[in-house]
Amino acid sequence: MATYTSTKRFTGFPCTHRQWKADSHCKYVHGYSREFYFEFACNEFTDEFWVMDFGGLKDVKAWLEEMFDHTFLIAEDDPYLEQFQQMDKDGIIQLRVMPNPGMEGTAKFVYDYVDALVKKKTNKRVWVTKVEVRENEKNSAFFSVS
């Protein structure tokens, strides 16, 4: 059976994070403008001969904006979580708590959400095979399935 693929990139999501377990400058709050690259796959096209209707990804873009546009990402086990939660409550930051806010962890986090959403939208006709999260022109991480 043939598998078809298509790709979509979303750019311009400025956010901050910290890797509190790092023994480097990455333990400090710092930020990047993240971008997200998706590969979609299917075995059967739509009636329009598409893998994925990109116009149908408005909810993906909205979720990415909610999670990553001018937000502060923190690990769920960060020892300063309560202080950051207070800053969120006080309107200083827009806090988003994740298992791992680094590039690798974000790639898996985004994959899990978007793959489930796409499968639901397409009645499992389409699935996500790869997510790349890029923090700048030099650094990125992938999460993929075969």
Side-chain angles (χ1 to χ4, degrees):
M1 182 179 303
T3 300
Y4 303 96
T5 60
S6 64
T7 66
K8 178 71 173 171
R9 186 176 306 274
F10 295 91
T11 62
F13 297 92
C15 61
T16 58
H17 72 281
R18 79 183 207 114
Q19 295 280 60
W20 76 268
K21 293 179 182 177
D23 189 23
S24 69
H25 63 276
C26 292
K27 67 183 174 188
Y28 302 116
V29 173
H30 59 288
Y32 299 102
S33 186
R34 293 186 180 198
E35 59 183 70
F36 302 89
Y37 167 84
F38 297 91
E39 289 184 4
F40 302 97
C42 73
N43 300 119
E44 296 178 21
F45 287 132
T46 64
D47 291 340
E48 299 85 3
F49 299 102
W50 297 335
V51 171
M52 184 70 212
D53 177 2
F54 295 142
L57 295 176
K58 290 177 179 61
D59 47 358
V60 170
K61 183 179 180 193
W63 180 76
L64 291 171
E65 288 171 345
E66 175 68 23
M67 285 299 302
F68 301 104
D69 189 12
H70 290 82
T71 59
F72 176 63
L73 313 175
I74 193 165
E76 58 195 12
D77 64 347
D78 191 297
Y80 290 94
L81 178 59
E82 287 184 23
Q83 286 90 332
F84 290 119
Q85 288 172 326
Q86 185 61 49
M87 292 172 74
D88 181 66
K89 183 178 175 186
D90 292 343
I92 297 169
I93 61 173
Q94 293 188 95
L95 183 64
R96 304 295 182 264
V97 180
M98 303 169 56
N100 173 357
M103 295 301 100
E104 296 84 352
T106 300
K108 172 73 164 82
F109 181 80
V110 169
Y111 167 85
D112 288 343
Y113 184 87
V114 175
D115 183 58
L117 182 65
V118 165
K119 284 176 178 170
K120 182 178 179 184
K121 292 172 74 69
T122 65
N123 198 26
K124 298 185 180 178
R125 185 186 63 79
V126 178
W127 59 94
V128 177
T129 58
K130 182 184 287 186
V131 172
E132 178 187 19
V133 178
R134 181 167 291 283
E135 65 183 7
N136 58 37
E137 64 280 352
K138 299 182 289 185
N139 303 330
S140 73
F142 289 90
F143 181 83
S144 60
V145 297
S146 39

